[in-house]
Each structure stands twice: as structure tokens, then as C-alpha cells.
Amino acid sequence: MCSLCPPAGAPATCRVEFRTLDPKPDRPKEEPVGPPSFVQAEDLTRTYRRGSEEVHALHDLTLVIPRSAFALVLGPSGSGKSTLLNLIGGIDRPTSGRLEVDGLQLHNLTERQLDGYRRDHVGFVFQFNNLLPNLDALENVALPLVAQGRSWAQARDQAVAQLAALGLGNRVGHRPSELSGGEQQRVALARAVIARPALVLADEPTGDLDSESAEIVLDLMWSLNRDLGATFVIATHNPRLESRATQVIELTNGRITPPVPQA
């Protein structure tokens, strides 16, 4: 008697049926896909007012930047490069359009949410480094960790290690005025990556450097991109950097320049 049958003497109502299940259908083969998108912009527009004049910095940009890309934004001065980086970095807001970074819809975030986005997800490198002049290299680099609530001891140790990794182990106690231009930009790069952000934005990071220092900074950025897996988006007017890029976005008058067809 099976365990589902009624007790002895009760009406025999138990009936067990066995059915042969259909074989599991073969799953369709998945088509290979490229790297997942990290930055997605759709019809992105930024318009400023200068008195009674409207200045169209960006016009209906639609683009995708994959995760872990080393993307280059090329274009002459006034083409909209810095405006695009400011929008992706949450420093500015679009006039219209949609902008999503790592699943966050930046166009819908509050100011407080944007503050948290910049603090926890983005590292910035500027042309003129923007280091605090009264703080030494270690203190400048440790600041993002302190802003995230880390203890000073932890932030200090990580900053020392990061500076050493970028060849500045003997400069930790120097203030910006005591460093060369190339060293200052390396400190700025260390500050940008110390909290391991998913995104690093660099606006003309080598524009104020001599060619030798520029190559050092570029090599370091390329290495950090590979080692950390962070997405790098670099604005520049220097086409020589194209050889390092995994993606090139060229802007002209606030619009993406269509690629020239190959002959």
C-alpha cells in the first residue's frame, strides 16, 4: 500500500498515475553579444542662455559607451566635449533627452542623488588638476575616501599605496606648488581612482603638459583602465590619442560627426 492510500477498510479511492514528461526542448542558441552598455544617451540636448541668445552646446546626441571602454571624445574647442563630460559626470543637467549611466537615469535624479552619484561612482581628472593648494599629495588623494566615510588611517594608507603605484611614493608630503606639472596630474589621477569608481572622466588631461609628461599620464590611464576595469571617457582635441582608444566619438558644433566611409 502506498503512503497516499486510505487506511485499511476505507473505500479504495487512491489512484496513482504515471505520465511520461515531454523531453525538455532544446534552448535556442544565444547570439554572441558585445560588451554591456555603460553610458546610454538618447536625443541628448544642452542649451544655455547668454542674455537673449540661446547657445546650443549639444544637439540630439544619441550614443552608447560600453562598460570598461577607453573612449575618446574628439573635437575642436567649442564642439561640446566638456559639456558632454559634465552631463555624464552629473555636474550639469540636460535640457532634454535621456541619459543613463550604469543603470542610473541621471536626467531623473535629484540634486542630492547626483551628489551621491558623483561621490561614489565617478572620478574626475581636469586639465588644470584642481588640486587643493594647501594640502599635500597624500591629503589631496585621500579626500574622496574621507568623503565616503572612511577613517583617516584607512584613507591615508590607501592614498600612500596609490601614489606609490603611480610613481609618486617619494612625493606624498609635497604640496602642488612643489610638484612638476606632470607630477600634479599624476596626483590628480590618483585622486580620481582612489575610491575605485566605475567611471573616470578626464577633460583635456594632457593639454597642459609637455609631450613626455603627457605620455606618462596617458600610459598610466591606459594601465588603470585595464587593471581596474573602470570605464574611461577622455575629452581631447589631440587626435594622436586615437591609437589607444577602444571607441572614438567625434563632435562638431555639438553634434556627432558621422564617420568617413572607407574607400
Side-chain angles (χ1 to χ4, degrees):
M1 179 182 295
C2 75
S3 61
L4 299 178
C5 290
T13 58
C14 176
R15 184 176 64 184
V16 179
E17 293 183 355
F18 294 92
R19 291 183 300 167
T20 302
L21 297 177
D22 293 333
K24 186 175 182 180
D26 293 333
R27 295 180 61 184
K29 292 184 179 180
E30 296 182 356
E31 294 296 328
V33 296
S37 59
F38 184 78
V39 177
Q40 297 183 72
E42 184 177 352
D43 298 328
L44 196 64
T45 295
R46 184 62 174 107
T47 302
Y48 301 97
R49 294 205 68 88
R50 186 182 299 157
S52 60
E53 177 188 8
E54 278 194 346
V55 179
H56 300 281
L58 293 177
H59 301 266
D60 299 323
L61 258 66
T62 296
L63 60 85
V64 173
I65 299 176
R67 185 178 299 276
S68 301
F70 196 75
L72 205 64
V73 183
L74 282 178
S77 297
S79 60
K81 303 187 304 297
S82 295
T83 300
L84 178 59
L85 261 63
N86 287 342
L87 293 176
I88 294 174
I91 295 175
D92 195 9
R93 288 181 176 274
T95 304
S96 62
R98 174 179 170 274
L99 178 59
E100 185 173 307
V101 179
D102 202 14
L104 295 173
Q105 296 183 355
L106 299 193
H107 54 285
N108 286 333
L109 297 187
T110 65
E111 290 300 326
R112 185 171 183 177
Q113 289 171 329
L114 284 174
D115 287 343
Y117 165 72
R118 292 190 297 268
R119 182 191 64 229
D120 298 332
H121 298 275
V122 189
F124 296 92
V125 183
F126 303 96
Q127 180 175 352
F128 300 109
N129 65 68
N130 287 7
L131 299 175
L132 297 181
N134 294 328
L135 301 184
D136 61 29
L138 185 153
E139 292 165 334
N140 268 285
V141 173
L143 275 179
L145 297 178
V146 174
Q148 290 183 345
R150 313 284 182 89
S151 69
W152 171 247
Q154 184 182 13
R156 178 197 59 213
D157 292 346
Q158 287 186 234
V160 168
Q162 188 65 69
L163 285 164
L166 299 188
L168 296 169
N170 61 341
R171 292 287 190 268
V172 294
H174 289 65
R175 293 185 176 183
S177 61
E178 300 169 322
L179 302 172
S180 68
E183 288 171 338
Q184 291 177 20
Q185 200 62 308
R186 278 189 277 163
V187 172
L189 182 56
R191 180 184 59 187
V193 301
I194 186 67
R196 298 299 183 262
L199 174 64
V200 177
L201 300 175
D203 194 356
E204 299 285 3
T206 61
D208 201 42
L209 302 179
D210 60 76
S211 58
E212 182 178 351
S213 297
E215 282 298 318
I216 292 173
V217 169
L218 184 61
D219 285 341
L220 288 171
M221 293 176 68
W222 176 249
S223 298
L224 288 166
N225 169 251
R226 291 180 300 169
D227 296 343
L228 303 180
T231 302
F232 275 66
V233 183
I234 305 166
T236 182
H237 61 267
N238 186 351
R240 291 184 301 173
L241 306 185
E242 287 189 55
S243 61
R244 305 289 188 103
T246 61
Q247 180 180 6
V248 176
I249 302 161
E250 189 168 354
L251 297 180
T252 304
N253 296 325
R255 302 179 187 273
I256 293 180
T257 307
V260 178
Q262 299 295 320

